[in-house]
Amino acid sequence: LHNASSKSPPILLMHGAKDNYVPLISSEAFYDGLQKKGVRVSLHIIRDGHHNAYLWGSHHVLMVHEFFEWYLRQKI
């Protein structure tokens, strides 16, 4: 967060609401801080998600794929 600026690449944050290791407030605070720095950031809270991303659904994988496709199209 200390090195983030409006020139930073876009960031997609995904956090499981039922994460027992990292509290959701961590991602929310990171999201808020990035926004204040002018970073294009998106936070997606996975309602039934835990800490292990491999337990999430294929639609979440698709979301990550679409994010990267969008970002790479911006660079062309």
Side-chain angles (χ1 to χ4, degrees), residues 9-27:
I11 296 176
L12 172 63
L13 300 172
M14 299 176 81
H15 199 114
K18 295 182 178 180
D19 189 330
N20 293 327
Y21 296 102
V22 179
L24 177 57
I25 190 131
S26 297
S27 286

Side-chain angles (χ1 to χ4, degrees), residues 10-46:
I11 296 176
L12 172 63
L13 300 172
M14 299 176 81
H15 199 114
K18 295 182 178 180
D19 189 330
N20 293 327
Y21 296 102
V22 179
L24 177 57
I25 190 131
S26 297
S27 286
E28 293 171 332
F30 189 43
Y31 172 83
D32 290 340
L34 288 170
Q35 277 199 317
K36 289 176 184 171
K37 296 264 188 153
V39 178
R40 295 178 78 176
V41 59
S42 176
L43 172 60
H44 180 74
I45 300 168
I46 300 165

Side-chain angles (χ1 to χ4, degrees), residues 45-75:
I45 300 168
I46 300 165
R47 183 182 57 215
D48 294 324
H50 295 274
H51 186 73
N52 297 322
Y54 69 87
L55 297 174
W56 300 352
S58 60
H59 56 287
H60 298 114
V61 175
L62 181 60
M63 182 183 298
V64 173
H65 179 75
E66 289 173 350
F67 173 80
F68 278 107
E69 278 194 346
W70 167 81
Y71 177 65
L72 292 173
R73 273 189 252 116
Q74 303 300 311
K75 302 304 280 180

